[in-house]
Short mmCIF file of all heavy atoms in Angstrom, two decimals:
data_model
loop_
_atom_site.label_atom_id
_atom_site.label_comp_id
_atom_site.label_asym_id
_atom_site.label_seq_id
_atom_site.Cartn_x
_atom_site.Cartn_y
_atom_site.Cartn_z
N ASN A 46 110.44 100.48 96.06
CA ASN A 46 111.53 101.44 96.34
C ASN A 46 111.61 101.87 97.77
O ASN A 46 110.62 101.69 98.57
CB ASN A 46 111.46 102.69 95.51
CG ASN A 46 110.23 103.55 95.81
OD1 ASN A 46 110.30 104.40 96.63
ND2 ASN A 46 109.15 103.36 95.04
N CYS A 47 112.74 102.29 98.28
CA CYS A 47 112.87 102.64 99.72
C CYS A 47 112.21 103.85 100.09
O CYS A 47 111.92 104.17 101.38
CB CYS A 47 114.47 102.57 100.08
SG CYS A 47 115.24 104.22 99.57
N GLY A 48 112.00 104.77 99.23
CA GLY A 48 111.25 105.93 99.47
C GLY A 48 112.06 107.11 99.89
O GLY A 48 111.58 108.23 100.14
N ARG A 49 113.47 107.05 99.91
CA ARG A 49 114.27 108.20 100.42
C ARG A 49 114.29 109.23 99.29
O ARG A 49 114.15 110.46 99.80
CB ARG A 49 115.71 107.65 100.55
CG ARG A 49 116.62 108.78 100.95
CD ARG A 49 117.93 108.35 101.45
NE ARG A 49 118.76 109.54 101.77
CZ ARG A 49 119.81 109.60 102.41
NH1 ARG A 49 120.38 108.37 102.85
NH2 ARG A 49 120.58 110.69 102.58
N CYS A 50 114.57 108.93 98.08
CA CYS A 50 114.74 110.17 97.20
C CYS A 50 113.57 110.36 96.29
O CYS A 50 113.00 109.30 95.93
CB CYS A 50 116.13 109.90 96.43
SG CYS A 50 116.04 108.63 95.13
N VAL A 51 113.30 111.53 95.88
CA VAL A 51 112.19 111.99 95.25
C VAL A 51 112.23 111.46 93.72
O VAL A 51 111.30 110.89 93.27
CB VAL A 51 112.08 113.51 95.20
CG1 VAL A 51 110.94 113.93 94.17
CG2 VAL A 51 111.68 114.04 96.58
N PRO A 52 113.35 111.58 93.10
CA PRO A 52 113.44 111.04 91.70
C PRO A 52 112.96 109.47 91.61
O PRO A 52 112.26 109.31 90.49
CB PRO A 52 114.94 111.18 91.28
CG PRO A 52 115.39 112.33 92.13
CD PRO A 52 114.75 112.08 93.45
N CYS A 53 113.30 108.66 92.46
CA CYS A 53 112.98 107.31 92.42
C CYS A 53 111.54 107.17 92.97
O CYS A 53 110.72 106.53 92.27
CB CYS A 53 113.94 106.42 93.15
SG CYS A 53 113.59 104.73 93.27
N ARG A 54 111.21 107.78 94.10
CA ARG A 54 109.89 107.45 94.77
C ARG A 54 108.81 108.03 93.86
O ARG A 54 107.82 107.32 93.49
CB ARG A 54 109.88 108.26 96.13
CG ARG A 54 108.59 107.92 96.79
CD ARG A 54 108.57 108.71 98.19
NE ARG A 54 108.54 110.14 97.96
CZ ARG A 54 109.48 110.97 98.38
NH1 ARG A 54 110.59 110.46 99.04
NH2 ARG A 54 109.29 112.25 98.17
N GLU A 55 108.88 109.29 93.33
CA GLU A 55 107.88 109.95 92.56
C GLU A 55 107.95 109.49 91.19
O GLU A 55 107.05 109.35 90.46
CB GLU A 55 107.97 111.41 92.85
CG GLU A 55 107.71 111.94 94.23
CD GLU A 55 106.34 111.42 94.89
OE1 GLU A 55 105.36 111.34 93.94
OE2 GLU A 55 106.26 111.13 95.98
N GLY A 56 109.20 109.40 90.74
CA GLY A 56 109.44 109.13 89.29
C GLY A 56 108.89 107.70 88.79
O GLY A 56 108.22 107.59 87.85
N SER A 57 109.13 106.69 89.75
CA SER A 57 108.54 105.42 89.49
C SER A 57 107.06 105.35 89.33
O SER A 57 106.42 104.60 88.47
CB SER A 57 109.09 104.34 90.47
OG SER A 57 108.76 104.68 91.79
N THR A 58 106.36 106.21 90.32
CA THR A 58 104.95 106.27 90.33
C THR A 58 104.49 106.97 89.01
O THR A 58 103.50 106.55 88.42
CB THR A 58 104.41 107.08 91.53
OG1 THR A 58 104.86 106.39 92.71
CG2 THR A 58 102.97 107.16 91.50
N GLN A 59 105.06 107.99 88.61
CA GLN A 59 104.70 108.71 87.36
C GLN A 59 104.92 107.87 86.13
O GLN A 59 104.25 107.87 85.23
CB GLN A 59 105.64 110.05 87.26
CG GLN A 59 105.27 111.03 88.33
CD GLN A 59 106.20 112.23 88.25
OE1 GLN A 59 106.71 112.61 87.16
NE2 GLN A 59 106.30 112.98 89.36
N LEU A 60 106.04 107.00 86.32
CA LEU A 60 106.33 106.11 85.12
C LEU A 60 105.17 105.10 84.94
O LEU A 60 104.69 104.87 83.79
CB LEU A 60 107.62 105.42 85.31
CG LEU A 60 108.20 104.52 84.24
CD1 LEU A 60 108.40 105.42 82.81
CD2 LEU A 60 109.47 103.82 84.62
N VAL A 61 104.74 104.56 86.01
CA VAL A 61 103.53 103.63 85.88
C VAL A 61 102.31 104.32 85.33
O VAL A 61 101.62 103.78 84.48
CB VAL A 61 103.20 103.15 87.31
CG1 VAL A 61 101.83 102.31 87.24
CG2 VAL A 61 104.30 102.20 87.83
N THR A 62 102.07 105.62 85.74
CA THR A 62 100.99 106.37 85.20
C THR A 62 101.07 106.65 83.74
O THR A 62 100.14 106.45 82.93
CB THR A 62 100.79 107.77 85.99
OG1 THR A 62 100.59 107.46 87.29
CG2 THR A 62 99.71 108.50 85.35
N LEU A 63 102.37 106.92 83.29
CA LEU A 63 102.46 107.17 81.82
C LEU A 63 102.32 105.88 80.96
O LEU A 63 101.85 106.00 79.94
CB LEU A 63 103.92 107.81 81.60
CG LEU A 63 104.14 109.16 82.12
CD1 LEU A 63 105.64 109.52 81.89
CD2 LEU A 63 103.20 110.12 81.32
N LEU A 64 102.64 104.77 81.61
CA LEU A 64 102.35 103.54 80.86
C LEU A 64 100.92 103.09 80.85
O LEU A 64 100.49 102.62 79.89
CB LEU A 64 103.30 102.39 81.52
CG LEU A 64 104.78 102.45 81.33
CD1 LEU A 64 105.51 101.42 82.02
CD2 LEU A 64 105.11 102.48 79.89
N ARG A 65 100.21 103.40 81.97
CA ARG A 65 98.72 103.15 81.98
C ARG A 65 98.12 104.04 81.04
O ARG A 65 97.11 103.70 80.29
CB ARG A 65 98.25 103.48 83.40
CG ARG A 65 98.55 102.39 84.34
CD ARG A 65 98.08 102.77 85.75
NE ARG A 65 98.25 101.66 86.78
CZ ARG A 65 98.23 101.85 88.09
NH1 ARG A 65 98.06 103.00 88.58
NH2 ARG A 65 98.48 100.82 88.91
N ASN A 66 98.62 105.29 80.76
CA ASN A 66 98.12 106.06 79.68
C ASN A 66 98.16 105.51 78.26
O ASN A 66 97.28 105.85 77.42
CB ASN A 66 98.78 107.52 79.78
CG ASN A 66 98.46 108.33 81.02
OD1 ASN A 66 97.62 107.96 81.71
ND2 ASN A 66 99.27 109.38 81.20
N VAL A 67 99.14 104.76 78.08
CA VAL A 67 99.28 104.06 76.78
C VAL A 67 98.07 103.24 76.56
O VAL A 67 97.52 103.25 75.44
CB VAL A 67 100.59 103.22 76.84
CG1 VAL A 67 100.59 102.45 75.44
CG2 VAL A 67 101.81 104.05 76.83
N TYR A 68 97.60 102.47 77.51
CA TYR A 68 96.34 101.68 77.40
C TYR A 68 95.19 102.59 77.18
O TYR A 68 94.14 102.07 76.69
CB TYR A 68 96.22 100.81 78.57
CG TYR A 68 97.29 99.65 78.66
CD1 TYR A 68 98.54 99.79 79.22
CD2 TYR A 68 96.85 98.41 78.15
CE1 TYR A 68 99.47 98.79 79.23
CE2 TYR A 68 97.80 97.32 78.14
CZ TYR A 68 99.11 97.55 78.72
OH TYR A 68 99.91 96.54 78.71
N ASP A 69 95.18 103.76 77.63
CA ASP A 69 94.07 104.73 77.46
C ASP A 69 94.18 105.50 76.17
O ASP A 69 93.28 106.48 75.92
CB ASP A 69 93.95 105.71 78.67
CG ASP A 69 93.69 104.99 80.00
OD1 ASP A 69 92.94 103.91 79.88
OD2 ASP A 69 94.11 105.58 81.12
N GLY A 70 95.21 105.27 75.38
CA GLY A 70 95.19 105.94 74.07
C GLY A 70 96.27 106.93 73.89
O GLY A 70 96.39 107.63 72.99
N GLU A 71 97.06 107.16 75.02
CA GLU A 71 98.12 108.29 74.95
C GLU A 71 99.44 107.69 75.11
O GLU A 71 99.87 107.38 76.21
CB GLU A 71 97.81 109.35 75.99
CG GLU A 71 98.79 110.38 75.93
CD GLU A 71 98.63 111.41 77.04
OE1 GLU A 71 97.57 111.35 77.84
OE2 GLU A 71 99.47 112.37 77.23
N TYR A 72 100.24 107.73 74.06
CA TYR A 72 101.62 107.22 74.24
C TYR A 72 102.58 108.47 73.95
O TYR A 72 102.69 108.98 72.76
CB TYR A 72 101.90 106.14 73.14
CG TYR A 72 103.43 105.86 72.95
CD1 TYR A 72 104.20 105.56 74.08
CD2 TYR A 72 103.96 105.75 71.71
CE1 TYR A 72 105.56 105.14 73.94
CE2 TYR A 72 105.38 105.47 71.46
CZ TYR A 72 106.05 105.21 72.75
OH TYR A 72 107.45 104.94 72.55
N ASP A 73 103.18 108.98 74.94
CA ASP A 73 104.00 110.23 74.87
C ASP A 73 105.34 109.80 75.05
O ASP A 73 106.04 109.67 76.27
CB ASP A 73 103.64 111.14 76.01
CG ASP A 73 104.28 112.46 75.77
OD1 ASP A 73 105.32 112.60 75.21
OD2 ASP A 73 103.62 113.52 76.20
N ASN A 74 106.16 109.39 74.02
CA ASN A 74 107.56 108.95 73.82
C ASN A 74 108.35 109.90 74.61
O ASN A 74 109.18 109.54 75.43
CB ASN A 74 107.84 108.74 72.48
CG ASN A 74 109.30 108.16 72.34
OD1 ASN A 74 110.28 108.78 72.81
ND2 ASN A 74 109.51 107.02 71.69
N GLY A 75 108.30 111.21 74.28
CA GLY A 75 109.24 112.19 74.76
C GLY A 75 109.13 112.39 76.24
O GLY A 75 110.11 112.43 77.01
N LYS A 76 107.87 112.44 76.79
CA LYS A 76 107.69 112.57 78.26
C LYS A 76 108.23 111.44 79.04
O LYS A 76 108.90 111.50 80.11
CB LYS A 76 106.22 112.71 78.56
CG LYS A 76 105.93 113.10 80.10
CD LYS A 76 104.44 113.27 80.29
CE LYS A 76 103.99 114.64 79.63
NZ LYS A 76 102.63 114.93 79.96
N ILE A 77 108.02 110.17 78.46
CA ILE A 77 108.52 108.96 79.15
C ILE A 77 110.12 109.01 79.20
O ILE A 77 110.76 108.72 80.20
CB ILE A 77 108.06 107.62 78.56
CG1 ILE A 77 106.53 107.51 78.70
CG2 ILE A 77 108.80 106.50 79.06
CD1 ILE A 77 105.89 106.36 77.88
N ARG A 78 110.71 109.42 78.02
CA ARG A 78 112.16 109.38 77.99
C ARG A 78 112.72 110.40 78.92
O ARG A 78 113.83 110.26 79.52
CB ARG A 78 112.55 109.57 76.57
CG ARG A 78 112.27 108.29 75.73
CD ARG A 78 112.95 108.30 74.40
NE ARG A 78 112.81 107.12 73.62
CZ ARG A 78 113.35 105.95 73.84
NH1 ARG A 78 114.26 105.86 74.86
NH2 ARG A 78 113.01 104.85 73.09
N GLU A 79 112.14 111.64 78.96
CA GLU A 79 112.60 112.65 79.86
C GLU A 79 112.54 112.25 81.37
O GLU A 79 113.46 112.55 82.04
CB GLU A 79 111.79 113.89 79.65
CG GLU A 79 112.17 115.18 80.49
CD GLU A 79 113.76 115.54 80.44
OE1 GLU A 79 114.36 115.14 79.43
OE2 GLU A 79 114.11 116.22 81.36
#
């Protein structure tokens, strides 16, 4: 991402973290969708 806007820059990083959490045993459907 280009880094300009917070929703994309930080959101994409948080999305990766939430998907990694799935492998660690935590699947939070609601948090990912929000």
